[in-house]
Amino acid sequence: MNTGDIYTANLSAEQREIREAIFQLCTRFDADYWLEKDRAGGFPGDFHMALAEAGWLGICIPQAYGGSGLGIADAAVMMQAVVETGAGFSGGSAVHMNIFGLNPVVVFGTEEQKHRMLPPLIAGKHRTCFVVTEPNTGLNTTQLKTRAVRDGDHYVVNGQKTFISTAQVAEKMLLLARTTPLEQVKNKTEGLTLFYTDFDRSRIEVREIEKMGRKAVDTNQLFIDNLRIPVEDRIGEEGKGFHYILHGMNAERILAAAETVGLGRAALKRAAQYANERIVFDRPIGKNQGVQHPLAERWMHLEAANLMVMQAAAKFDRGENCGVEANAAKYLGAAACWNACETAVLTHGGYGYAKEYHVERYLREAMIARIAPVSEQMIFCFVAEKVLGLPKSY
Ligand SMILES: Cc1cc2nc3c(=O)[nH]c(=O)nc-3n(C[C@H](O)[C@H](O)[C@H](O)COP(=O)(O)OP(=O)(O)OC[C@H]3O[C@@H](n4cnc5c(N)ncnc54)[C@H](O)[C@@H]3O)c2cc1C
């Protein structure tokens, strides 16, 4: 597939270099590496460390704390390339949290916190997880039940969390907990507090959730029992945590959307190659329009989604409100990715269902993007309300 120019035409010279360097680095982690990770599980620590050693984990972190100080558009190009090399979401999710996750610390942390928290993350010494979702509140985040109660110079935390990725290996966590009971706040978005602190396994029980795909990057239930967090690990003011988390959400959606385009491209590349090589009825199956057309259509949808990704990223980097574009990019990317992966499996016929052809793994991973970090329905609700002026429905 001759798409090199098409994929880089709108990138800056620096972004092209980022893309090339990532493809180069990832040659050490080929499709068979990820296939084995998907079979056996186990965090891809060597891959995470390789990206850290090459300085990639600090791409969005200001230079004053050891990062590269680049924008979210540059990070989107980087994360898209990681996934597109064939690493899929197994590779993307292994480092995703490092790239955007500490945005609340960068924006709302004190100088002392930034110097303490950011360099070990960039160096790959600290892996971190994002601890927000709860079993009984789902997408209705303001209702979360985990409590943090002030006790002198500490907070004592109790509660349950679920679907927390990388908790099996993380040294640190970004945790959202309620400090003021819901019935005592004027607005339900108040009274939630954000912490960046040690993942203290003597106080947190971690149970892995067996899931459909992305086995290399674990996802877990957490049971938090009298966890003591020092006050100096609180980010910003008490009670403002929800606003701090929201601040980073558009960036996360943009990166997640860029990754979906990467996964869809990886799937279509394999499908086109197979369609050129597989001979049935004395000709390559790709000579049949019934095989060609779905692939061409999936490609167009994917690249249209990518335009929305880059538009959202450009607005974010200019400091403009990009909520609508970031959500739209996440929806469009996830849908195009899912369809591309499904078509890639079907193009392979029976072999599409065999693990050694890789595309069934991509299809299983693609489902994640339709669910997390925000569901399709919630994006429809957001666009209906914010763009079309319809009443808030939830
Ligand atoms: C692989 C994976 C990794 C994850 N990693 C993390 C992580 O690291 N950290 C973390 O905090 N979370 C993580 N999550 C959680 C993820 O963000 C949530 O699963 C997601 O936000 C949905 O929440 P829920 O599963 O509780 O769905 P629910 O809130 O229970 O919703 C269920 C369904 O109902 C729909 N729905 C609910 N209310 C409405 C409404 N008013 N109108 C229309 N539809 C509605 C939803 O759209 C959804 O389809 C992960 C999830 C997965 C699958």
Side-chain angles (χ1 to χ4, degrees):
M1 201 158 50
N2 179 23
T3 43
D5 288 343
I6 290 180
Y7 291 166
T8 56
N10 292 326
L11 302 185
S12 68
E14 194 173 27
Q15 288 168 346
R16 282 180 209 193
E17 279 172 26
I18 291 173
R19 192 175 150 83
E20 241 169 68
I22 291 290
F23 268 86
Q24 181 60 34
L25 187 152
C26 288
T27 51
R28 283 150 60 191
F29 305 94
D30 62 9
D32 290 333
Y33 171 90
W34 294 110
L35 176 60
E36 190 45 36
K37 282 282 166 206
D38 189 63
R39 281 192 177 125
F43 187 77
D46 45 354
F47 169 76
H48 170 262
M49 212 52 213
L51 283 170
E53 280 167 1
W56 290 109
L57 300 188
I59 187 167
C60 283
I61 293 175
Q63 289 176 328
Y65 313 106
S68 309
L70 298 180
I72 208 74
D74 304 314
V77 170
M78 178 211 149
M79 289 304 293
Q80 185 169 80
V82 165
V83 175
E84 193 179 327
T85 62
F89 291 167
S90 300
S93 302
V95 292
H96 179 96
M97 177 64 189
N98 291 62
I99 304 299
F100 83 93
L102 260 59
N103 180 272
V105 175
V106 171
V107 179
F108 304 105
T110 63
E111 277 305 307
E112 183 278 323
Q113 287 176 327
K114 291 186 220 187
H115 282 287
R116 177 160 56 92
M117 295 169 176
L118 300 175
L121 186 87
I122 298 170
K125 286 186 195 148
H126 288 171
R127 286 165 297 191
T128 185
C129 54
F130 185 71
V131 184
V132 174
T133 304
E134 293 194 359
N136 299 320
T137 49
L139 288 154
N140 199 358
T141 309
T142 58
Q143 304 299 307
L144 61 78
K145 306 281 183 292
T146 296
R147 285 280 281 134
V149 178
R150 182 82 183 244
D151 177 24
D153 55 2
H154 280 73
Y155 287 86
V156 180
V157 181
N158 283 284
Q160 281 184 38
K161 297 282 180 180
T162 195
F163 289 113
I164 308 308
S165 297
T166 72
Q168 296 285 339
V169 295
E171 286 84 13
K172 294 278 175 180
M173 63 175 170
L174 193 70
L175 169 76
L176 190 64
R178 187 160 275 291
T179 36
T180 308
L182 202 53
E183 49 284 4
Q184 289 172 27
V185 293
K186 278 199 204 116
N187 187 326
K188 61 188 180 175
T189 60
E190 291 166 11
L192 293 163
T193 298
L194 191 63
F195 303 92
Y196 185 67
T197 195
D198 289 343
F199 197 100
D200 178 356
R201 287 171 197 277
S202 70
R203 295 283 162 201
I204 308 172
E205 188 192 334
V206 183
R207 284 189 212 155
E208 186 161 359
I209 298 169
E210 201 177 343
K211 59 191 191 312
M212 179 175 171
R214 210 195 65 182
K215 190 169 180 177
V217 181
D218 54 272
T219 297
N220 307 275
Q221 285 178 286
L222 306 189
F223 300 86
I224 307 173
D225 181 20
N226 285 323
L227 171 73
R228 292 182 72 79
I229 300 181
V231 171
E232 57 263 28
D233 286 355
R234 187 188 72 212
I235 306 302
E237 287 178 47
E238 185 177 298
K240 299 252 173 83
F242 187 75
H243 303 282
Y244 302 153
I245 286 272
L246 276 188
H247 194 270
M249 275 186 178
N250 287 335
E252 191 201 5
R253 280 168 203 182
I254 293 167
L255 292 184
E259 291 167 34
T260 61
V261 174
L263 186 62
R265 285 179 180 172
L268 290 187
K269 187 175 172 195
R270 284 199 171 272
Q273 191 182 336
Y274 188 82
N276 264 323
E277 289 168 0
R278 173 74 171 167
I279 309 290
V280 183
F281 296 109
D282 302 323
R283 55 186 180 159
I285 56 168
K287 202 172 175 186
N288 301 301
Q289 291 180 344
V291 173
Q292 287 184 1
H293 289 187
L295 290 169
E297 190 200 27
R298 302 311 182 236
W299 183 85
M300 289 187 272
H301 284 166
L302 215 45
E303 296 311 311
N306 200 43
L307 293 177
M308 188 64 92
V309 173
M310 295 315 278
Q311 170 150 328
K315 283 185 92 173
F316 185 95
D317 286 337
R318 289 197 299 266
E320 295 168 21
N321 186 346
C322 65
V324 168
E325 289 84 353
N327 277 282
K330 155 69 179 68
Y331 169 77
L332 294 170
C337 173
W338 173 259
N339 291 332
C341 293
E342 184 197 46
T343 302
V345 169
L346 294 172
T347 303
H348 281 74
Y351 294 98
Y353 210 61
K355 285 190 185 286
E356 67 173 295
Y357 284 79
H358 305 288
V359 286
E360 65 79 37
R361 178 171 87 249
Y362 296 162
L363 181 66
R364 286 185 284 111
E365 291 187 348
M367 182 53 96
I368 300 173
R370 297 186 60 187
I371 300 167
V374 62
S375 69
E376 296 171 351
Q377 289 91 343
M378 287 295 113
I379 294 177
F380 291 147
C381 292
F382 183 79
V383 170
E385 182 192 341
K386 302 289 177 195
V387 182
L388 303 175
L390 296 169
K392 184 169 176 168
S393 63
Y394 58 96

